[in-house]
Amino acid sequence: MRLLVTGGAGFIGANFVHLTLREFPDTEVTVLDALTYAGSRESLSEVADRIRLVEGDITDGALVDELIAGTDAVVHFAAETHVDNGLADPAPFVHTNVVGTFTVLEAVRRHGVRLHHVSTDEVYGDLELGDPARFTESTPYNPSSPYSSTKASADLLVRAWVRSYGVRATISNCSNNYGPYQHVEKFIPRQITNLLTGRRAKLYGSGANVRDWIHVDDHNAAVWRILRDGAIGATYLIGADGERDNLSVLRTLLTLLDRDPDDFDHVPDRAGHDLRYAIDASRLRDELGWRPQHTDFEAGLRATVDWYRSNESWWGPLKADVEARYAERGR
Ligand code: NAD
Ligand code: TDX
């Protein structure tokens, strides 16, 4: 299969490329990535001779058309992804997440190419703490932030292109991922690399907010399952029953790094901060037989800490700029 992976130099996309070459070594992989601040050639350096990496923007209609004309399927990861950045400057989120997805859709429509669109549980808004409810495929969209509203917009475009034009697409909405190659702006890598560089861990607000954590390889295995066996036009929620509040994740990280579990700073909360996400992945389990493999969250965090310890050359050059941006925002 010839596969085009948009955003394949980012966190989940790069892990997807590595998993693909491990598990499906006959796949011909082309990555289209603008190499924004969030993308990194180094994340793909170990497989550089086995893939084609095209540096370009997914809103470049001519480039996207040419690449999609020569492929069998597209897995669309490219996006602006950091909620705090979207609050500070939403324009790139509209550009990449909305116009970019539109550009991909028009090309797959012209060429009859299969598309899998990667999205987030944040499109559903948030849940109350202690509520037994979880998100399902029929939960109404209710996004809170520039990030989640532009991802929701992209999902709605995909649904409409399926219905109106018969585009062969599937959508997945996944919960919070963790694992190697995640940008140091995100919660877990930020805390690990703060502690490894003599900085202090930073918790937004009270830390009562709950995220539903999944290992990136479990997410990507589900994407492959959907790409091969998913029903055209269907949405699948991806989650591994990993609900944890931020304070307990932070305390686990402090303990793994031999610190006092209360040795961190409370910093001002994020505007509109979603309280809780929780995924009911029954459809994916029942219809496609997917099961998460990384079910021990603490073991997954330990492996992630080890990865960041061993790969300072990957994240070290990014760290000072990211922390300078947080300092400007008082966090
Ligand atoms: P990331 O920010 O690490 O990577 C995004 C990649 O997209 C980067 O390589 C960047 O260079 C590229 N990109 C950005 N704008 C582009 C453009 N205009 N043209 C081409 N490439 C561009 O993000 P991630 O965490 O790997 O997320 C990947 C996808 O998964 C996103 O669609 C995101 O919404 C979704 N998702 C992420 C999570 C999570 O926990 N990280 C959870 C659910 C869904
Ligand atoms: O320093 C921090 N301290 C802190 O308490 C940071 C960076 C975050 N937080 C909190 C905010 C969130 O409640 O931790 C939680 C996780 O924060 P992020 O890593 O920014 O993730 P989140 O906002 O939950 O969104 C992520 O998951 C869903 C990804 O960034 C999205 O792209 C994905 O769709």
Side-chain angles (χ1 to χ4, degrees):
M1 186 199 266
R2 295 169 304 170
L3 195 60
L4 179 67
V5 181
T6 75
F11 162 46
I12 306 175
N15 279 288
F16 181 83
V17 171
H18 289 290
L19 180 136
T20 298
L21 296 175
R22 268 194 323 268
E23 312 255 323
F24 309 100
D26 293 340
T27 314
E28 268 179 47
V29 176
T30 300
V31 168
L32 171 60
D33 198 297
L35 299 176
T36 68
Y37 81 94
S40 158
R41 259 179 212 286
E42 282 73 53
S43 303
L44 296 169
S45 58
E46 280 170 32
V47 295
D49 56 347
R50 298 180 62 196
I51 64 168
R52 178 176 171 217
L53 172 55
V54 178
E55 184 175 349
D57 196 302
I58 48 159
T59 61
D60 179 342
L63 175 63
V64 168
D65 190 84
E66 180 197 322
L67 293 173
I68 287 182
T71 200
D72 299 310
V74 182
V75 180
H76 177 38
F77 290 100
E80 285 291 336
T81 63
H82 194 38
V83 173
D84 294 325
N85 293 345
L87 289 164
D89 179 14
F93 288 69
V94 174
H95 173 82
T96 292
N97 301 359
V98 185
V99 181
T101 301
F102 164 74
T103 309
V104 169
L105 280 167
E106 284 293 84
V108 295
R109 169 157 90 99
R110 274 192 294 275
H111 299 288
V113 166
R114 170 84 168 88
L115 170 68
H116 180 71
H117 171 66
V118 177
S119 190
T120 169
D121 60 358
E122 299 195 19
V123 299
Y124 299 114
D126 59 354
L127 299 162
E128 293 299 325
L129 298 177
D131 180 345
R134 299 194 289 170
F135 299 136
T136 71
E137 286 78 6
S138 54
T139 302
Y141 274 37
N142 187 26
S144 316
S145 67
Y147 166 65
S148 54
S149 60
T150 54
K151 291 297 291 185
S153 307
D155 296 8
L156 297 182
L157 292 177
V158 176
R159 289 184 181 192
W161 263 239
V162 170
R163 171 96 182 240
S164 302
Y165 302 117
V167 160
R168 290 182 301 129
T170 42
I171 301 176
S172 55
N173 297 85
C174 188
S175 61
N176 283 61
N177 286 220
Y178 73 95
Y181 298 111
Q182 186 167 28
H183 198 279
V184 292
E185 70 189 353
K186 301 296 196 309
F187 177 55
I188 288 175
R190 184 184 185 204
Q191 312 313 327
I192 297 171
T193 55
N194 272 8
L195 298 173
L196 291 177
T197 55
R199 296 173 168 93
R200 288 171 61 79
K202 308 281 181 186
L203 186 69
Y204 291 2
S206 69
N209 307 65
V210 170
R211 297 296 183 263
D212 191 351
W213 293 100
I214 183 172
H215 192 277
V216 63
D217 285 345
D218 283 331
H219 178 185
N220 283 328
V223 168
W224 259 107
R225 213 44 94 88
I226 298 164
L227 185 64
R228 283 189 307 179
D229 302 326
I232 296 301
T235 287
Y236 296 88
L237 263 57
I238 307 175
D241 302 329
E243 279 187 71
R244 295 277 189 297
D245 64 66
N246 293 340
L247 177 59
S248 51
V249 174
L250 183 58
R251 287 198 164 130
T252 305
L253 289 170
L254 284 156
T255 307
L256 286 170
L257 283 142
D258 300 321
R259 307 300 162 91
D260 181 331
D262 289 318
D263 194 15
F264 60 86
D265 293 337
H266 283 281
V267 295
D269 209 350
R270 173 185 285 171
H273 195 174
D274 279 343
L275 200 47
R276 171 175 165 250
Y277 306 135
I279 291 270
D280 177 348
S282 302
R283 179 178 204 175
L284 180 68
R285 288 172 177 264
D286 297 347
E287 294 180 17
L288 301 185
W290 170 88
R291 297 283 182 280
Q293 303 300 311
H294 298 264
T295 48
D296 182 340
F297 182 58
E298 194 170 321
L301 280 187
R302 189 175 304 113
T304 304
V305 168
D306 289 345
W307 189 87
Y308 281 89
R309 264 195 220 283
S310 308
N311 287 278
E312 185 160 356
S313 60
W314 181 84
W315 57 264
L318 310 171
K319 185 69 187 167
D321 282 354
V322 167
E323 288 308 316
R325 215 174 321 146
Y326 274 120
E328 281 166 22
R329 296 174 188 163
R331 294 199 188 93

